[in-house]
Amino acid sequence: MPRIRHERFDCSPGCTVEGTLRYIDGKWKGVVLYHLFEGTLRFNEIRRRIPNCTQRMLTNQLRELEADGLITRKIYAEVPPKVEYSLTPRGRSLEPVITALKIWGDANVTLVPEVSHAAA
Amino acid sequence: MPRIRHERFDCSPGCTVEGTLRYIDGKWKGVVLYHLFEGTLRFNEIRRRIPNCTQRMLTNQLRELEADGLITRKIYAEVPPKVEYSLTPRGRSLEPVITALKIWGDANVTLVPEVSHAAA
DNA sequence: CATGACGGTATCCTTTTCGACACTATGTGC
DNA sequence: GCACATAGTGTCGAAAAGGATACCGTCATG
């Protein structure tokens, strides 16, 4: 959960940039959203796509995304539990943002093991 | 300084999304970059544009942006110190990303004082 | 002589984040 | 009767991020 970056987002024109970051910040939110653009996924399907994320962390990130109205959680009252996650329209509207992030990353981040101050 | 999100960015296709976030995460980096798109700015010019950011924090953010090769720092050996910050080409290449962030924020974040789990 | 502007540092402390690990319930397969 | 899969929750502790505050040197101005 990112800190509350500001109380209001009108302090300067660039503030809404931070406002958006508030939603997609959180160690795994970007990737989770990215995978949900493919379509609805079950909990463990997401887990398998993001192996480094612990179960607890994934739950947290999903809960925050849900609280922010970006995804919905659909529970099936079945015997082996089944929960499906999918994007809300609001979540889907983030697609250009995630795409921009991915394009830049593909061009500038690709397979860089240590990025600058990682050693500090 | 954001934690090292992954060691490598090839774990899944969405990973470069996180890779990009690594650069613009940090409480004030997004806004700093945003303001530098206007053009070169001196230290205190940036400060005045982001009043809620403490001097120490601003210094930190600028140093990290510099270490990541997104901005350059030009020191003039003058009597009242003068330091100018401007974007590198790499930093400027983030413009579509910041713009996407801003567009979404303007449409979805505008003037929301408390955003969801802020009270938690 | 004191104050302010400039561009920072250093130190301390609190809050947040995140990872490890254990634990839950139910039903199925072996 | 035991393990496994599902989708979680709870607790603990370390590390990182970030805020508050004080301090630095120099020159100009009042």
Side-chain angles (χ1 to χ4, degrees):
Chain A
M1 195 179 321
R3 41 224 110 29
I4 301 153
R5 294 175 180 268
H6 315 282
E7 301 79 44
R8 313 184 59 72
F9 295 102
D10 57 351
C11 61
S12 72
C15 255
T16 52
V17 171
E18 287 296 322
T20 305
L21 280 175
R22 219 199 69 76
Y23 287 95
I24 55 182
D25 191 11
K27 193 162 180 180
W28 308 98
K29 287 190 190 174
V31 215
V32 169
L33 289 171
Y34 179 81
H35 288 294
L36 284 177
F37 285 125
E38 285 179 29
T40 300
L41 290 174
R42 296 182 58 176
F43 184 80
N44 274 356
E45 289 177 324
I46 304 177
R47 272 203 80 185
R48 278 188 287 270
R49 278 170 170 73
I50 317 177
N52 297 338
C53 181
T54 64
Q55 193 171 32
R56 197 184 73 95
M57 263 290 115
L58 183 55
T59 306
N60 284 353
Q61 303 291 287
L62 289 168
R63 289 291 185 285
E64 289 180 25
L65 290 169
E66 194 193 359
D68 284 336
L70 301 178
I71 65 174
T72 36
R73 187 160 167 264
K74 188 169 181 184
I75 305 148
Y76 294 83
E78 293 178 6
V79 150
K82 177 176 170 184
V83 181
E84 283 182 349
Y85 291 93
S86 49
L87 292 167
T88 60
R90 182 183 174 81
R92 196 161 288 285
S93 74
L94 271 171
E95 193 153 14
V97 175
I98 302 291
T99 302
L101 248 13
K102 173 131 174 50
I103 289 172
W104 195 89
D106 285 345
N108 293 273
V109 179
T110 354
L111 303 188
V112 179
E114 298 282 294
V115 194
S116 76
H117 45 67
Chain B
M1 195 179 320
R3 40 224 113 22
I4 300 152
R5 295 177 179 265
H6 315 283
E7 301 79 45
R8 313 185 59 72
F9 294 104
D10 56 351
C11 62
S12 73
C15 253
T16 51
V17 171
E18 287 296 323
T20 305
L21 282 175
R22 218 199 68 77
Y23 287 95
I24 55 182
D25 190 11
K27 195 163 179 179
W28 307 98
K29 286 190 190 175
V31 216
V32 169
L33 288 171
Y34 179 82
H35 287 295
L36 284 177
F37 285 124
E38 285 179 30
T40 300
L41 290 174
R42 297 183 57 177
F43 185 80
N44 275 354
E45 287 176 326
I46 303 176
R47 271 203 81 185
R48 277 188 286 271
R49 278 169 172 74
I50 316 176
N52 296 338
C53 182
T54 64
Q55 193 170 30
R56 194 185 75 95
M57 265 291 116
L58 184 55
T59 306
N60 284 352
Q61 304 289 287
L62 289 169
R63 290 292 186 282
E64 289 180 24
L65 289 169
E66 194 193 0
D68 284 336
L70 300 177
I71 64 173
T72 36
R73 187 159 168 266
K74 188 169 179 183
I75 305 148
Y76 294 83
E78 293 179 3
V79 149
K82 177 176 172 185
V83 180
E84 282 183 350
Y85 292 92
S86 48
L87 292 167
T88 61
R90 182 185 175 79
R92 195 161 290 285
S93 75
L94 271 172
E95 193 153 15
V97 175
I98 302 291
T99 302
L101 248 13
K102 173 130 173 54
I103 289 172
W104 196 89
D106 284 346
N108 293 273
V109 178
T110 354
L111 303 187
V112 179
E114 297 282 295
V115 195
S116 75
H117 43 68

